[in-house]
Amino acid sequence: MADLMRISRPWLLSPLLRGRTPSPILFGLYRTISTTAPRPYAARRTPKKTRSLRSVGSKKDDLTALQSNMTLILPETLVAPPLSRYPREPSKFFKMLWLHVRARAQSLWAVISLKITSQPKIFTSKPLFKFRKSAAIPTAKALHIQMSEALAVGDKNTLRSICTPELYVTLAATIDSRPKGTRAEWELVRYEKKWRYPRVADRRVGYQPLHDGGMQLLKQVVVSIASVQRIARYDDTAGGRKIPGTERVRNMTEHLVLQAEVDGTTFEARPWRIWGTLSEATYESYKTEVDNIRAIMVEQSRS
């Protein structure tokens, strides 16, 4: 989906602090949503002298929803690079390999532990919790298409229903910034690299702190998708003609993050929602994240 994808996905490339000040322990666990990507079909920002009360009220409602429903990515989520992109230096190569294996072991153990915890009678009954990993890939592909099409046509209702609140606010702002009479068209041309994608890059479960001091159980999966996408924009004020130079076809590899809330009593999960995308981890970036989390945990244990 070319440039459109830069808006709809890379909101999510790094450590996130939006809308409110996090507690010290959460500060190191946030990933940020970046909204500095170029906007291929959006209007250039110009200050408006007046706004309708309805528009202002709607944006305030969106901001309130964002602040009260902030969604964090679970700590140590890893989109590991292939071995060919591991560090060349032997010591860093094996350290990255160890971090990768460790992350997979930790996430697997967390899922197993939750399954054991969800058993009505430990070791004698079936677990109530089911991750449903086999459904993650088809669900991610369907949501990826839904979000891309909804963003292109400006369907906020669909975006609100399938995205986390903070992602919805970002995409809604992108839609609002388009010039009047301009519409976009998105097409999934085909999936690429079928020998490798789509695949589950990471899955894990954990708890997310809530604004009221409570905790929300989450399951999370990262699905990597490689595809060829086409984006074009049209000017409806000129009879719906295609705007010259706006059609682009690009190869995209995206690591789509999905999250679903899990009831802590019944262990039933709500439908998956799109958190955003992540970039492929590097040795330096992932090691820094792990070290920061360890430092925070040590500090908290001493206090």
Side-chain angles (χ1 to χ4, degrees):
M1 178 174 161
D3 287 341
L4 178 56
M5 303 283 42
R6 294 207 207 129
I7 299 171
S8 66
R9 315 291 196 274
W11 339 253
L12 343 188
L13 297 185
S14 30
L16 177 147
L17 300 169
R18 266 176 98 102
R20 60 181 180 176
T21 303
S23 65
I25 191 169
L26 294 184
F27 186 87
L29 306 186
Y30 278 109
R31 297 266 184 100
T32 65
I33 291 179
S34 168
T35 54
T36 58
R39 301 170 181 269
Y41 54 81
R44 292 184 178 179
R45 299 294 179 102
T46 55
K48 294 183 179 179
K49 294 183 179 179
T50 59
R51 290 184 183 179
S52 69
L53 292 177
R54 183 176 180 182
S55 173
V56 172
S58 174
K59 289 182 179 179
K60 285 184 178 178
D61 291 343
D62 287 342
L63 182 58
T64 300
L66 171 63
Q67 291 174 332
S68 62
N69 294 282
M70 182 66 69
T71 306
L72 312 181
I73 195 165
L74 294 178
E76 299 190 42
T77 299
L78 174 64
V79 178
L83 291 176
S84 60
R85 286 200 288 272
Y86 269 38
R88 298 299 183 191
E89 186 179 329
S91 62
K92 290 184 177 181
F93 179 95
F94 287 107
K95 284 178 183 177
M96 183 65 198
L97 185 61
W98 162 245
L99 289 172
H100 188 174
V101 172
R102 175 179 170 275
R104 294 293 171 262
Q106 285 182 334
S107 62
L108 179 60
W109 174 243
V111 172
I112 292 173
S113 297
L114 184 57
K115 285 189 175 184
I116 294 173
T117 303
S118 72
Q119 291 177 312
K121 294 182 179 180
I122 302 297
F123 301 122
T124 61
S125 57
K126 290 184 177 180
L128 298 177
F129 174 73
K130 292 179 174 60
F131 195 95
R132 304 190 190 282
K133 180 182 176 183
S134 61
I137 288 177
T139 300
K141 289 168 70 176
L143 288 175
H144 174 269
I145 292 172
Q146 275 186 274
M147 179 175 66
S148 302
E149 291 179 339
L151 181 59
V153 302
D155 183 354
K156 292 185 183 179
N157 289 332
T158 294
L159 292 174
R160 192 193 300 271
S161 68
I162 65 174
C163 299
T164 57
E166 60 272 29
L167 178 55
Y168 166 74
V169 169
T170 301
L171 300 185
T174 298
I175 292 170
D176 291 340
S177 68
R178 295 175 185 168
K180 266 191 173 180
T182 299
R183 61 183 171 85
E185 182 180 78
W186 176 86
E187 177 189 1
L188 174 67
V189 179
R190 64 181 179 275
Y191 289 111
E192 286 279 82
K193 303 176 184 177
K194 294 182 180 180
W195 56 273
R196 180 173 173 79
Y197 301 105
R199 65 184 180 87
V200 173
D202 188 272
R203 66 163 179 152
R204 57 191 60 235
V205 295
Y207 285 90
Q208 172 180 284
L210 300 177
H211 73 288
D212 61 2
M215 301 291 281
Q216 174 63 58
L217 180 60
L218 285 180
K219 65 176 183 176
Q220 175 185 287
V221 65
V222 182
V223 178
S224 300
I225 299 173
S227 61
V228 177
Q229 303 168 17
R230 184 186 71 85
I231 179 70
R233 56 176 173 152
Y234 298 82
D235 186 355
D236 288 338
T237 64
R241 69 177 179 82
K242 186 186 297 182
I243 300 174
T246 63
E247 181 171 359
R248 304 190 181 201
V249 177
R250 289 191 179 174
N251 293 303
M252 305 288 294
T253 299
E254 300 161 285
H255 309 289
L256 197 68
V257 182
L258 305 183
Q259 291 184 338
E261 295 178 355
V262 179
D263 187 285
T265 303
T266 65
F267 296 95
E268 287 291 325
R270 299 184 67 182
W272 288 107
R273 302 179 87 184
I274 303 172
W275 181 90
T277 62
L278 288 178
S279 57
E280 189 178 89
T282 64
Y283 168 72
E284 288 77 13
S285 66
Y286 191 68
K287 184 177 184 300
T288 298
E289 179 178 342
V290 171
D291 290 345
N292 286 343
I293 292 172
R294 286 179 179 173
I296 292 169
M297 293 177 67
V298 170
E299 183 179 343
Q300 290 294 315
S301 67
R302 291 173 178 171
S303 60

